[in-house]
Amino acid sequence: MKRLWRFFPALPALMLSGCTVDLLQPAGPIGEGNRDMMVLEWAVMMCVVLPVIIATLVFAWKYRASNAKAEYLRNWSHSNKIEVFIWGVPILIILVLSGFNYWSTHYYDPYKPISKEMQVKVGAPNAKPLHVEVISLDWKWLFIYPDLGIATINELDVPTKTPLDFRITSDSVMTSFFIPQLGSQIYSMAGMETQLHLMASRPGNFQGEAAQYTGPGFSDMRFRTIAMPQEQFDAWVQNVRSGGNPLVVKEALDAQTYQKYHVPPAAPHDAAPKPAPVVYFSSVQAGLFENVVAKYNVGMTHDHHGKDMDEKAMDMHSESHAAAPSNTGM
Amino acid sequence: MLGKLTLSAIPYDVPILVGTFIGVAVIGIAVLAAVTYFKKWGYLWREWLTTVDHKKLAIMYVVLGLVMLVRGFADALMMRTQLALAYAGNPGYLPPHHYDQVFSAHGTIMIFFMAMVMMQALFNFVVPLQIGARDVAFPLINSISFYMTLVSAILINISLFIGEFSNVGWLGYPPISELQFNPGVGVDYYIWSVQISGIGTLLTGMNFLTTIIKLRAPGMKWMHIPVFTWTAFFACIMILTTFPVLTVSMALLALDRYVGMHFFTNDGGGSVMLYLNLIWSWGHPEVYILILPAFGVFSEIAATFSGKPLFGYATMVIATGIITFLGSIVWVHHFFTMGSGADVNTFFGIMTMFIAVPTGVKIFNWLFTMYKGRVRFEGPMHWIVGFMITFSIGGMTGVMMAMPAADWVIHNSLFLVAHFHNVIIGGVFFGYVAGLSYWFPKAFGFKMRDVWGKWAFRFWFVGFYLSFIPLYAVGLEGMTRRMNHYDNPNWHPWLLVACVGVFVLAAGVACQVIQFVFAAFDAVNRKPDAHDLTGDSWGSGRTLEWSIPSPVPHYNFARLPVIRGLDTFHIEKELGRPAPVADLEPIHMPKYSAVGPVLGACGLVIGFALVWHIWWAVIVGLVVAFFTVIHRSANLDVDFYVTVEEIRADEEAFAKRLAAARAAE
Ligand code: HEM
Ligand SMILES: [Cu+2]
Ligand SMILES: [Cu+2]
């Protein structure tokens, strides 16, 4: 036992070695923005928090009752100078942070397409966005690539340095679509479409998760996000389309096949439901995503964005407050 | 006949629950047997259960709150040990079906039945004494409030042994809390226990707001009100403005579940976003309802133990008011990730950040209260130093989450869980515990043993950091809350540390239990020098409650005090107490009443019957409650006068004790 203690000092180092702190080591411009804001705020706040903590300890020590040498002002309870200081400093700090708040909330707005600036920064200014439609199910994620005509379950393959335009909905309870290393998350809600724009600036295999509790299968409702260079991605798409990959399900993902995957696995009382395996679909029926959204809106077709969301529609979205496409009148 | 209730609702196949049940049953039977053996039923009923005395209600609230703390803490222990084990293929010992109920019960119990209960205990005990009142504005309603809280706490604990509890978290987010996804009775237990206790809290809010406005002693102007009472005042305003929203949210969810409406369902035009807005426009103010009174406690303690007036009294009051206002318009920060437009997110983000201003001001005020003081580090003062350090850190991470661009990645993560425990343990909990030991001698006439209080503090302080700093770390490593098992090797070491932390916290809880056991022991065999003879238990009290004997006579003040400014008692100690001008007069007091317990019993029956769809019992409960209220309204024999002889005898005894104390000096 005693020998074990010798390793104790090494413990923090052990913990840090080879470990990814997802939010501090992001792999895309949005994640970097999230991190920068977090670190910036931490640094600014530390400027007051640290002095307050130190002052607390110093005052507590210095003015302890047994220290008769310290000055004692038994009726002192007001000072205009101090009042100005204690209101002024926090107001100044918060004003500064508010500026950053306004800027970053707009600049990194999840509804805003990846900016030219970010694209230039990763060195691929002309990459066309990849559209991905995300449907959260019990307890798995379905990713449809409408432009490529393929789909996957619990694995999201994307090219690097390409803007990713996600349209997100749920065909079950509400949850949140989140890839920590790529950045911002957005809720998925049945009958509604939400949007998210991310980009991977380097290849990698990132964890993806449901960040809002969804029931017994919640803990395993995870997916890998595999970012790879464009050529490799193209090869992967070919491979899925041609059915060359062992994970590929030959049948097309149409309304009927979809039903099979829509049913939640059994959730016994004494164990977690089995995690859903990764599946690739070599073809997908067009309009599946729209139908899933429309299902909850009394069958009305939901939005008119279609696949080629134009800039105007986008703007409308980021201006309007709610996540709801809300043209169905409910 | 019994609605949905059948024998299969009893989980006799779950060893943990059976064990717990046996434990609870043994303790319960032992208590009942003891009461019977010592023939204390009559005493209990006459002196306690039917009481309308705010001080006795406060004590009952404290007992309830402490029991619920132990229950909530047991849940926390289970969660932490589960996550220390459930790594890399090991399922742990709590499958999701149980684990999910555990975190839901933990959150619900800690907020509604620990924190809110302790808060009401403090309101009850302190507010009337600080403003020189002989009771609250509506004493009977006060008792009803208590019983509504008590029976909903009982209801939530019944769910352990009959049926199941909600598995969807302390806020019951739809659509997963809807019938479609949650056909069991768990969510119904949640709805009705929250609903019934919510009524109790609403009544408390109304009662104390009226009390503070109408029953202040003659001469007590607004700016003479002690800070704790000010914080209670603002908390009551928020209770009145927001608890009705909670009631409505729960009612709409119940309508969805019971009669198939579609307020929050996926289809039929329901909207989860509506629920999120409703529940958080209650939920955010709720956390300020909890923290403001804790701020009040710290203000009283800082002044008393620093031997100085509170620095910046007026600032403190204004800051509390600003927090009340801002706290009511920031709820959207709980769902920056819902897809609101950037302008909406910015507005709510900036408003949230601005709450840091009045809060920061308060911290500085306590700091400058210690500054150039003579700070005595007795038990209560330990908690405040721990609070100022811990709360500053929690405030910092709170401001971090107020920036939408940062919140988009830490929302719903364990970083968030660490943040809110940081403010809720370091702020609310430390504050209430400090308040408990600070006013304990006022209630019982002797102090709790400080050693155990100090050890409790040390364990809680260290245990807090051990349990929750790791959660910040795993949050940054992308771990979301409410997970039941995981296979990420980066998270594992942190969760092991957190598990060690929870056992350190357990030591803290144990010290507190020991402290109370000793207190009970001292109540019977205490040494004479442990008595609080003067009523000024800490020797440096400033507010009215320290001017009267401890324990406080049931009518509180023999003569209504004459207010001479802020901190009247302190002024009197400095300038000498004026000789009483008027002679003693009989005091008009309310009689004790069985209406509270009867309505409470009705509430329990109605709640349980609603959960299980036993409609006849719901009707019986309602009818009995209705006639109880009618009967009470027709009853004119509800008050009495305390005789001058009794008051004079008390006064003379108090004078003797004061003289003895002076002689001993
Ligand atoms: C005594 C030490 C405590 C420990 C060790 C503890 C631990 C925990 C843990 C492990 C969770 C679940 C985190 C997760 O989602 O994975 C949790 C959730 C929560 N805790 Fe605590 N807790 C403590 C005290 C408190 C107190 C004093 C309060 C409030 C007064 C509180 C309120 C909550 C709430 C509201 C939740 C959220 C429940 C939900 O997910 O719906 N906790 N706590
Ligand atoms: Cu839309
Ligand atoms: Cu909030």
Side-chain angles (χ1 to χ4, degrees), chain A residues 34 63 72 106 187 209 213 321 323, chain B residues 100 307 338 340 343 405 411 478:
Chain A
N34 299 132
Y63 299 109
Y72 179 32
H106 287 79
Y187 286 166
E209 45 198 32
Y213 175 74
H321 124 271
Chain B
D100 301 351
M338 199 167 76
S340 308
D343 289 337
H411 176 69

Side-chain angles (χ1 to χ4, degrees), chain B residues 7 13 46 51 69 81 87 128 140 152 154 211 214 233 252 276 288 310 328 372 381 416 426 467 538 544:
Chain B
L7 219 51
D13 51 340
R46 279 190 312 274
T51 190
L69 170 67
T81 41
Y87 164 60
L140 178 67
S152 39
I154 294 177
T211 305
K214 300 298 284 186
F233 174 82
L252 299 184
L276 263 62
Y288 284 94
L310 180 70
S328 307
K372 301 201 172 169
M381 199 62 203
L416 160 81
S467 313
W538 305 99
L544 284 177

Side-chain angles (χ1 to χ4, degrees), chain B residues 73 76 79-80 103 106-107 110 169-170 420-421 460 481-482:
Chain B
F73 184 76
M79 289 188 284
R80 282 277 66 96
F103 69 66
H106 166 79
M110 282 298 202
W170 77 288
F420 73 70
H421 283 88
W460 269 93
R481 67 195 291 199
R482 296 174 179 166

Side-chain angles (χ1 to χ4, degrees), chain A residues 193 303 305 317 325:
Chain A
E193 174 201 314
D303 237 350
H305 305 156
H317 269 288

